[in-house]
């Protein structure tokens, strides 16, 4: 039985954690190959010792970057090696490329997997659908492509195998011409790792007022998040602050939603928070149904009072 | 030259209800709606029409059953797509489309698109609001052998080519693509219009065809996944903090946060 893991080198390290679950739950011997989408110049020691059988990498180009290139490379490897599972990160490039490959190979995809349950001879992959309100437990009846939300598994050595690095030729894709590639501005915002998040929504009256949230976040050593309208429509904050289904999914100890109504798409991004506090003027705002503690009131009145008391408690002048 | 805009008739997740004993979603009883991002796709199709496209087809495949109950509901929703500006609507629906998987859905949609003449662009939302799997556009492109680009937030059309801006997690790409192509779009691409009363009336006269998957020469699909849905129980405390003024409410909140251990007072 063979498994293929696809991703950048970092993903290949992290997803070895998923591979090891498969290996532990399988009665047969499992060999795990990987496809690095980036060229490998020198075998990195942290990857070499994990136990991969072969790691394929592009030889004639720096990286595989068009959906069709990636789809064709994976299809080709699948046809040669008959993998039972192909595992990759659940990010946009892999979602689309492997959907294309999945159609070629006539196999299903389970995206956004956040949990793997292993039973004898089968695996159940769990993902959350319907704006976070339904868990879908999916068991492949045969081969499948599994896309895993990053940050779920810790990588580690899963076998004693010695890894060989295998260069492969990638065909040129002339149908998809990348004219320009712009990195998104990346500040010090790491919402996925934050313990405390102060999140802002439409209840704020102006871009300028967001500094109230930033001050509060500084005080609590937290970070500032936001709902869709603030990042996507008003553009008061860069997208890296956006929390929700198409933004980031967060899991802080404390999530304080200020002036956020709580659309299902936003809720889907905060499900794993430990404690959720909501402040909103509208007593019927759906956010209250998804909060542990709610205050019905004006956030402009809440923030100064809350900051003042927090300062007392933390002994900050 | 024609455009096809894919329309998913999705479960309206805002109206989800759960069986009180099993806590499974009562999917048969929950209304459908046009998946939000597919409205953006249709709006973009309408915008692109100015470049000399003759017709916009709204194409849909019904996956949520029961068939007997949904068929009228599906037609009403496609009338809405017609009111928004599509010239013709096609609904693929029969017992085989209900609960079918994405391999089958892509085959059926592609087969229908092949039967519409001279399709240059197929548009769809980046994901549907119910299952959010983002698979169908790329799968359809694969079936048709069209170019494919996803997660697009801007489209520029220029003599049988498109230049698009697409949004990936950590970077933005500008890509040039030959037509025919399948393009998935994000919500940022435009603001979908609301139909006027005139358009709603006019929609009643536009063609809406129902096609069976067997008429497209498709074999019933073979199941590839065993799926089991369960409702997520909201385990939140839902405590609304009362108090005579904000100051009192804030004090009570902080006491609670301290006892939860999420705020640690300094001694």
């Amino acid at each position: 039985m063979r498994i293929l893991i696809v991703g950048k080198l970092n993903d290949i390290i992290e997803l070895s954690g998923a591979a090891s679950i498969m290996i532990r739950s399988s009665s047969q011997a499992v060999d795990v190959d990987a496809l690095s989408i980036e060229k490998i110049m020198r075998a990195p020691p942290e990857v070499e010792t994990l136990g991969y059988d072969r790691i394929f990498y592009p030889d004639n180009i720096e990286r595989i970057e068009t959906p069709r290139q990636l789809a064709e490379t994976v299809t080709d490897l699948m046809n040669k090696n008959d993998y039972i599972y192909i595992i990759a990160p659940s990010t946009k490039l892999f979602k689309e490329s492997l959907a294309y490959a999945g159609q070629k190979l006539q196999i299903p995809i389970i995206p956004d997997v956040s949990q793997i349950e292993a039973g004898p001879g089968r695996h159940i992959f769990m993902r959350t659908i319907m704006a976070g309100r339904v868990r879908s437990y999916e068991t492949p009846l045969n081969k499948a492509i599994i896309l895993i939300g990053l940050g779920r598994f810790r990588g580690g050595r899963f076998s004693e195998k010695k890894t060989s690095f295998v260069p492969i030729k990638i065909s040129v894709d002339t149908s998809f011409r990348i004219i320009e590639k712009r990195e998104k501005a990346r500040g010090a915002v790491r919402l996925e790792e934050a313990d405390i998040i102060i999140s802002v929504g439409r209840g704020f009256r102006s871009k300028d007022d967001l500094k109230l949230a930033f001050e509060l976040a500084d005080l609590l050593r937290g970070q500032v998040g936001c709902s869709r309208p603030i990042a996507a429509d008003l553009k008061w904050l860069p997208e890296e602050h956006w929390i929700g289904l198409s933004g980031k999914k967060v899991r802080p100890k404390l999530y304080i939603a200020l002036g956020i109504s709580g659309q299902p798409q936003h809720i889907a991004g905060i499900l794993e928070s430990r404690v959720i506090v909501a402040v909103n003027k509208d007593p019927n705002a759906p956010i209250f149904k998804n909060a542990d503690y709610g205050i019905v009131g004006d956030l402009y009145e809440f923030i100064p009072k809350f900051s003042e008391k927090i300062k007392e408690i933390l002994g900050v002048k | 030259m024609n455009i096809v805009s894919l329309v998913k008739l999705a479960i309206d997740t805002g109206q989800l209800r759960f069986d009180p004993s099993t806590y499974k979603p009562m999917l048969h009883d929950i209304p459908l709606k046009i998946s939000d991002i597919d409205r953006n796709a249709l709006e973009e199709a309408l915008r692109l029409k100015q470049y000399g496209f003759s017709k916009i087809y709204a194409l849909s495949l019904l996956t949520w059953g029961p068939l007997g109950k949904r068929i009228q509901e599906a037609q009403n929703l496609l009338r809405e797509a017609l009111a928004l500006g599509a010239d013709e609507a096609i609904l693929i629906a029969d017992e085989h489309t209900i609960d079918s998987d994405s391999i089958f859905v892509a085959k059926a949609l592609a087969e229908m698109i092949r039967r519409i003449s001279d399709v240059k662009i197929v548009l769809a939302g980046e994901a549907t609001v119910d299952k959010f799997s983002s698979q169908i556009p790329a799968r359809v492109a694969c079936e048709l052998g069209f170019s494919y680009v996803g997660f697009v937030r801007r489209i520029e059309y220029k003599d049988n080519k498109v230049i698009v801006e697409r949004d990936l997690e950590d970077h933005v790409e500008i890509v040039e693509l030959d037509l025919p192509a399948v393009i998935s779009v994000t919500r940022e691409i435009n603001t979908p219009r609301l139909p006027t009363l005139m358009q709603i009336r006019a929609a009643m006269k536009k063609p809406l065809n129902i096609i069976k998957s067997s008429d497209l020469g498709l074999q019933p699909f073979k199941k590839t996944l065993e799926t089991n849905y369960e409702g997520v129980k909201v385990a939140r405390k839902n405590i609304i903090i009362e108090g005579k003024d904000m100051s009192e409410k804030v004090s009570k909140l902080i006491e609670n946060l301290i006892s939860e251990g999420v705020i640690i007072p300094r001694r």
Side-chain angles (χ1 to χ4, degrees):
Chain A
M1 194 167 122
R2 274 189 179 274
I3 294 175
L4 178 70
I5 304 241
V6 185
K8 295 182 191 162
L9 275 178
N10 283 342
D11 306 329
I12 291 173
I13 296 172
E14 185 173 330
L15 294 178
S16 64
S20 84
I21 295 178
M22 310 284 180
I23 291 171
R24 268 185 278 132
S25 60
S26 175
S27 49
Q28 307 170 41
V30 181
D31 284 318
V32 187
D33 289 341
L35 167 65
S36 161
I37 63 165
E38 291 165 330
K39 191 172 191 168
I40 299 175
M41 304 300 281
R42 200 176 313 118
E46 68 274 28
V47 178
E48 215 173 5
T49 51
L50 292 170
Y52 281 104
D53 188 10
R54 294 171 295 178
I55 296 183
F56 303 99
Y57 65 91
D59 187 30
N60 53 325
I61 52 173
E62 281 312 302
R63 62 162 64 218
I64 305 174
E65 55 187 353
T66 85
R68 202 184 276 185
Q69 258 178 344
L70 184 49
E72 273 164 16
T73 310
V74 169
T75 308
D76 204 37
L77 286 172
M78 181 65 152
N79 287 336
K80 283 181 188 139
N81 299 294
D82 202 32
Y83 297 108
I84 177 87
Y85 293 129
I86 297 173
I87 303 175
S90 206
T91 55
K92 292 175 182 173
L93 176 67
F94 294 104
K95 274 188 178 170
E96 58 185 9
S97 310
L98 296 182
Y100 198 101
Q103 194 65 20
K104 249 192 178 156
L105 298 162
Q106 302 284 293
I107 58 176
I109 296 184
I110 310 178
D112 299 318
V113 169
S114 57
Q115 205 179 299
I116 304 175
E117 283 172 30
R122 64 186 203 141
H123 296 103
I124 305 172
F125 299 94
M126 196 277 280
R127 68 185 186 113
T128 311
I129 59 170
M130 310 231 175
R133 299 189 60 200
V134 174
R135 288 200 185 97
S136 176
Y137 294 88
E138 307 185 11
T139 307
L141 300 176
N142 203 329
K143 293 172 184 168
I145 297 170
I146 312 293
L147 303 177
I148 292 182
L150 289 177
R152 302 282 166 171
F153 295 97
R154 279 197 45 197
R157 172 180 287 210
F158 56 82
S159 96
E160 301 297 318
K161 252 207 174 97
K162 217 174 150 318
T163 306
S164 51
F165 289 81
V166 185
I168 52 173
K169 289 261 174 296
I170 308 296
S171 57
V172 180
D173 179 4
T174 53
S175 70
F176 190 103
R177 300 176 288 276
I178 301 175
I179 298 172
E180 194 191 325
K181 207 167 166 170
R182 269 198 319 268
E183 294 292 313
K184 284 190 191 168
R186 210 174 322 166
V189 191
R190 275 188 293 273
L191 287 173
E192 293 94 333
E193 295 160 27
D195 273 342
I196 294 182
I197 294 175
I198 310 296
S199 207
V200 301
R202 281 306 268 277
F204 280 82
R205 288 193 288 260
S206 73
K207 184 178 175 180
D208 218 35
D209 291 351
L210 298 184
K211 70 173 185 291
L212 298 168
F214 278 92
E215 284 163 11
L216 183 56
D218 278 347
L219 185 63
L220 291 166
R221 295 175 187 278
Q223 306 237 3
V224 173
C226 70
S227 61
R228 182 176 184 282
I230 302 292
D233 303 332
L234 299 165
K235 302 199 192 300
W236 286 353
L237 286 176
E239 281 172 25
E240 54 183 346
H241 291 273
W242 176 1
I243 294 170
L245 214 42
S246 18
K248 291 178 173 166
K249 298 195 177 66
V250 298
R251 44 211 319 198
K253 287 192 190 125
L254 175 59
Y255 188 84
I256 303 183
L258 301 175
I260 290 179
S261 64
Q263 292 305 309
Q265 286 84 341
H266 184 75
I267 302 301
I270 63 172
L271 286 176
E272 291 182 61
S273 308
R274 192 149 89 64
V275 176
I276 296 178
V277 173
V279 180
N280 204 299
K281 270 202 276 201
D282 174 8
N284 298 318
I287 188 82
F288 288 122
K289 289 205 185 92
N290 293 282
D292 295 289
Y293 301 101
I295 289 185
V296 179
D298 187 352
L299 67 94
Y300 285 94
E301 214 186 314
F302 170 81
I303 296 177
K305 287 270 176 345
F306 187 70
S307 302
E308 186 189 308
K309 295 230 155 81
I310 288 287
K311 278 183 192 163
E312 276 172 33
I313 286 168
L314 300 180
V316 182
K317 294 250 160 54
Chain B
M1 294 205 302
N2 296 307
I3 299 180
V4 170
S5 190
L6 300 180
V7 176
K8 166 85 180 269
L9 307 176
I11 292 283
D12 184 350
T13 55
Q15 302 195 51
L16 267 181
R17 275 174 296 121
F18 299 91
D19 181 301
S21 57
T22 61
Y23 219 68
K24 287 191 181 299
M26 297 155 74
L27 295 175
H28 285 179
D29 303 325
I30 297 157
L32 302 179
K33 65 169 184 177
I34 294 180
S35 178
D36 303 30
I37 319 172
D38 289 344
R39 286 177 183 271
N40 296 83
L42 179 55
E43 180 67 36
E44 198 59 17
L46 298 170
R47 191 189 68 80
L48 288 169
K49 204 176 174 186
Q50 58 176 314
Y51 296 103
F53 289 92
S54 28
K55 268 189 178 178
I56 313 279
Y57 291 84
L59 172 59
S60 189
L61 182 145
L62 184 66
T63 51
W64 295 112
L67 180 66
K69 178 185 156 197
R70 295 290 194 196
I71 196 95
Q72 189 55 47
E73 190 182 1
Q75 291 177 67
N76 296 346
L77 288 169
L78 285 176
R79 285 278 168 222
E80 203 180 323
L82 291 169
L84 288 166
D87 299 294
E88 210 173 314
I90 303 165
L91 174 67
I92 309 172
D94 60 14
E95 63 275 25
H96 303 306
T97 67
I98 302 299
D99 295 327
S100 59
D101 69 356
S102 35
I103 302 170
F104 179 89
V105 172
K107 275 190 185 163
L109 293 173
E111 195 47 50
M112 191 62 233
I113 292 168
R114 270 188 215 113
R115 291 167 192 228
I116 302 171
S117 70
D118 198 21
V119 174
K120 282 279 186 266
I121 299 179
V122 178
L123 287 163
E126 59 164 323
T128 58
V129 292
D130 46 10
K131 287 176 118 183
F132 226 82
S133 74
S134 299
Q135 289 185 42
I136 298 299
R139 284 185 182 267
V140 169
C142 175
E143 282 292 328
L144 290 169
F146 282 17
S147 316
Y148 163 80
V149 65
F151 311 102
V152 167
R153 59 185 193 190
R154 195 168 55 82
I155 302 177
E156 212 180 295
Y157 174 83
K158 235 188 201 163
D159 9 287
N160 215 30
K161 267 194 232 103
V162 284
I163 295 174
V164 303
E165 182 176 307
R166 75 185 203 123
D167 181 5
L168 299 175
E169 282 83 357
D170 48 6
H171 66 273
V172 172
E173 276 174 2
I174 315 281
V175 179
E176 189 185 68
L177 212 66
D178 296 329
L179 299 181
V182 178
I183 304 174
S184 91
V185 305
T186 71
R187 287 175 68 174
E188 287 64 52
I189 196 164
N190 56 39
T191 308
R193 69 191 69 188
L194 293 170
T196 63
L197 204 60
M198 286 276 283
Q199 285 173 307
I200 295 171
R201 281 210 202 106
M204 297 313 289
K205 298 202 187 82
K206 291 183 180 174
L208 193 169
N209 301 305
I210 302 176
I211 308 270
K212 290 188 169 161
S213 71
S214 50
D215 293 340
L216 295 171
L218 291 170
Q219 298 299 316
F221 78 105
K222 276 199 216 81
K223 213 172 180 176
T224 53
L225 291 173
E226 200 76 63
T227 303
N228 184 18
Y229 296 137
E230 263 171 41
V232 176
K233 287 208 177 76
V234 181
R236 297 287 165 199
K237 296 197 173 77
N238 298 139
I239 298 171
I240 298 290
I241 295 179
E242 309 285 351
K244 65 175 194 305
D245 56 14
M246 185 56 88
S247 189
E248 191 182 317
K249 289 180 191 175
V250 164
S251 298
K252 285 189 188 166
L253 171 65
I254 290 179
E255 278 166 36
N256 280 303
L257 296 182
I258 291 172
S259 65
E260 293 268 6
V262 291
I263 289 206
I264 299 161
R266 199 148 133 211
R267 295 176 193 282

